[in-house]
Amino acid sequence: RFRYDNTPLNQFDSSTASTRVQEMALDATLPIVLKNGNALVSGFDLQSLRTKVNPNYPDVTSVYTVLLKLGVNLKHSEKWSGTYMFLPKLSSDLKEISSKDFQYGAYALIKYQKNPNLKYQFGMYYNSELFGPFFVPLLGLYYLSPSKKLEINATLPVWADINYRLKPWLRVGFSFSAFVRSFNINEPQFVESGEYLVKSTNEPMLYFQFEPTKSLIIQTKLGYSIGRRYAIYDETDKVTFGLSAFRFGGDQNQLNSDFEDGLVFEARLLYRFHITKED
């Protein structure tokens, strides 16, 4: 999966300066199916983010994520299965590489197959964010209508997607994503001792999905970022832990000013390898 995001100019709250947000991501997942129905899961996720975090600083800040996926998908019974992943990553501006740039995450997602068209899922995500331990309870479902026209795929509060097939090659849909990420800043702009950036976004989007071939999918999206924050903190400014949208055990002092919410344009290119089972 390849993704590119861009925004119009967004004005800072504290000045007349403005900035764009540009993101790119390349994400790949490779499951290796075993004879017992279980699967080994591996892959990677490469991301880049460019935006101004300081209206008084001439240059944009560029940060990156290099993430590895290592895990298994286990079939526990006829109805129950689970996905268990270890997610180590490098997350910083990559100006230097030190222990501050590394984070370690994991998640477990249990799935219950209600019927051939409906699956429930629940679990927990954890990551050692730079502001402190971060936990997100996960609850969701997957539904595909008998006609295969309506599809619902949701893992809340992180992700949701609803789409409907208008033509064999065309779907129209709505998606929502809410992500929190932190990046170590090796070249600080506010405090010499060190700082980190926390990205927090909530983005509902409408999209068209084109399927020119069985394997190739193209999405064009238009959305609006709500409560968008790209906050800079002193590296010593931490909380005891975070739980979804809440922080406990600390009152963080943001060093920079926010910029306005606004439109987001996104293009996605997906390629799927289809595996045919042989008798």
Side-chain angles (χ1 to χ4, degrees), residues 15 24 32 53 60-61 75 78 95 157 237-238 268:
S15 74
M24 287 192 294
I32 301 175
V53 296
V60 299
T61 295
K75 188 174 182 180
E78 186 72 20
K95 300 295 184 181
D237 194 349
K238 300 179 182 295
R268 283 177 176 255

Side-chain angles (χ1 to χ4, degrees), residues 19-60:
T19 184
R20 298 182 189 274
V21 180
Q22 296 184 70
E23 294 188 65
M24 287 192 294
L26 178 63
D27 175 21
T29 302
L30 175 64
I32 301 175
V33 181
L34 306 177
K35 291 183 178 180
N36 57 8
N38 299 327
L40 302 177
V41 183
S42 63
F44 62 84
D45 188 0
L46 310 176
Q47 299 186 21
S48 69
L49 163 66
R50 287 171 51 86
T51 190
K52 270 191 177 184
V53 296
N54 184 352
N56 302 315
Y57 193 76
D59 298 329
V60 299

Side-chain angles (χ1 to χ4, degrees), residues 99-220:
S99 59
K100 298 177 184 179
D101 297 339
F102 290 92
Q103 300 175 24
Y104 301 94
Y107 77 83
L109 195 63
I110 307 299
K111 305 169 187 176
Y112 174 70
Q113 189 78 49
K114 175 71 173 178
N115 57 54
N117 299 97
L118 178 62
K119 181 187 298 183
Y120 297 114
Q121 52 195 24
F122 62 91
M124 178 69 75
Y125 168 81
Y126 163 80
N127 194 69
S128 59
E129 301 288 349
L130 294 173
F131 55 78
F134 182 55
F135 301 88
V136 181
L138 304 173
L139 182 65
L141 62 85
Y142 178 80
Y143 172 75
L144 183 63
S145 65
S147 66
K148 299 187 184 302
K149 289 188 175 182
L150 176 64
E151 183 180 39
I152 302 173
N153 189 2
T155 305
L156 297 173
V158 178
W159 170 263
D161 183 284
I162 302 173
N163 64 77
Y164 187 83
R165 185 178 295 279
L166 299 176
K167 300 285 184 180
W169 51 271
L170 175 65
R171 285 182 177 268
V172 61
F174 168 83
S175 69
F176 172 79
S177 60
F179 291 108
V180 174
R181 300 285 187 269
S182 60
F183 306 85
N184 185 48
I185 304 298
N186 290 287
E187 292 187 355
Q189 300 177 25
F190 295 90
V191 290
E192 293 184 2
S193 57
E195 59 195 34
Y196 62 90
L197 165 66
V198 177
K199 168 195 170 183
S200 178
T201 58
N202 303 279
E203 295 177 349
M205 289 188 166
L206 298 174
Y207 69 87
F208 288 101
Q209 176 170 305
F210 306 92
E211 303 176 21
T213 71
K214 182 180 179 181
S215 297
L216 183 63
I217 296 173
I218 301 169
Q219 292 181 344
T220 55

